[in-house]
Amino acid sequence: MRPILLASGSPRRRELLTQIGLDFTVVPSQKEEILRYREPRAVVEDLSRQKAEDIASQAPAGAVVIGADTVVALDGAILGKPHGPEEAAAMLAKLQGRTHQVFTGVTLVFRDKDGGTEEEVTFSEETKVHIYPMSEEEIRRYVATGDPLDKAGAYGIQGAFAAFVAGITGSFYNVMGLPIGRVYQELKERMAL
């Protein structure tokens, strides 16, 4: 089995890879992210590539590196992680009662036995998330939990925010930060799992 390196410190991505039984090592990229695009899909694909290539440059021969990046988008604009409770509340006020998109870009870098790049694959997934209307009080209570402060779009679908999710179109796991089914299929196609 080839060593798998996850170029992310995200606890949710670790949880998802563990959930499907993959043996991997977490090696978060410390490289400064450079935004070269504005369109959400292009942004996540490029940032996932930057992270994966950073760790691949130090990875042992034969390793597989997984880089990923997730953004929440509304009306084509990216909503990043809020910088405080007020910004989190403002983001949630924009999302409530509407449908938005979550994009996750993934890059897989396969190192050859000589330490070079054997193959590099980049793809992205889009999930539409439909949110129920929320009152100001509901937004305030959710923000007070602290949950939205470290999450793109100011919410985590797998936590208390589930009370406001009317439905999704696409991969639930993509919203958590990694379209794990697609990742597994891409890895299975190229290596023995």
Side-chain angles (χ1 to χ4, degrees):
M1 180 74 169
R2 298 171 77 156
I4 298 173
L5 307 179
L6 175 61
S8 169
S10 163
R12 288 161 291 285
R13 291 187 182 118
R14 283 196 307 264
E15 176 186 329
L16 291 172
L17 288 173
T18 300
Q19 181 177 315
I20 64 166
L22 286 184
D23 186 25
F24 62 96
T25 304
V26 175
V27 186
S29 173
Q30 302 301 321
K31 184 178 181 187
E32 181 183 348
E33 296 177 355
I34 300 167
L35 285 176
R36 299 186 278 215
Y37 301 95
R38 296 177 65 116
E39 193 270 320
R41 186 179 300 276
V43 167
V44 294
E45 288 182 0
D46 188 49
L47 291 177
S48 76
R49 190 177 304 111
Q50 289 179 41
K51 294 173 185 178
E53 289 176 350
D54 175 44
I55 298 307
S57 69
Q58 316 155 40
V64 179
V65 178
I66 302 171
D69 194 78
T70 303
V71 298
V72 171
L74 180 66
D75 300 329
I78 294 173
L79 302 178
K81 293 179 182 176
H83 291 94
E86 298 80 22
E87 189 176 5
M91 283 185 190
L92 292 167
K94 288 179 187 176
L95 296 175
Q96 66 86 24
R98 300 195 55 202
T99 296
H100 63 275
Q101 298 76 39
V102 176
F103 294 90
T104 299
V106 178
T107 296
L108 307 174
V109 178
F110 297 84
R111 304 280 285 164
D112 64 24
K113 63 180 179 1
D114 299 319
T117 298
E118 175 183 313
E119 185 180 7
E120 183 171 310
V121 179
T122 299
F123 60 89
S124 58
E125 293 284 325
E126 174 185 356
T127 302
K128 290 183 172 70
V129 182
H130 317 285
I131 305 298
Y132 284 115
M134 298 172 72
S135 68
E136 285 183 34
E137 173 62 18
E138 288 171 322
I139 291 171
R140 188 191 63 70
R141 271 199 320 264
Y142 178 61
V143 170
T145 68
D147 189 50
L149 300 180
D150 69 336
K151 294 177 179 68
Y155 75 89
I157 197 167
Q158 70 279 13
F161 194 75
F164 306 108
V165 178
I168 66 168
T169 305
S171 167
F172 171 80
Y173 299 108
N174 188 53
V175 183
M176 283 182 67
L178 197 64
I180 196 65
R182 173 86 183 267
V183 169
Y184 181 83
Q185 296 304 315
E186 296 284 347
L187 290 171
K188 184 174 82 167
E189 187 178 308
R190 292 166 176 84
M191 57 190 271
L193 290 179

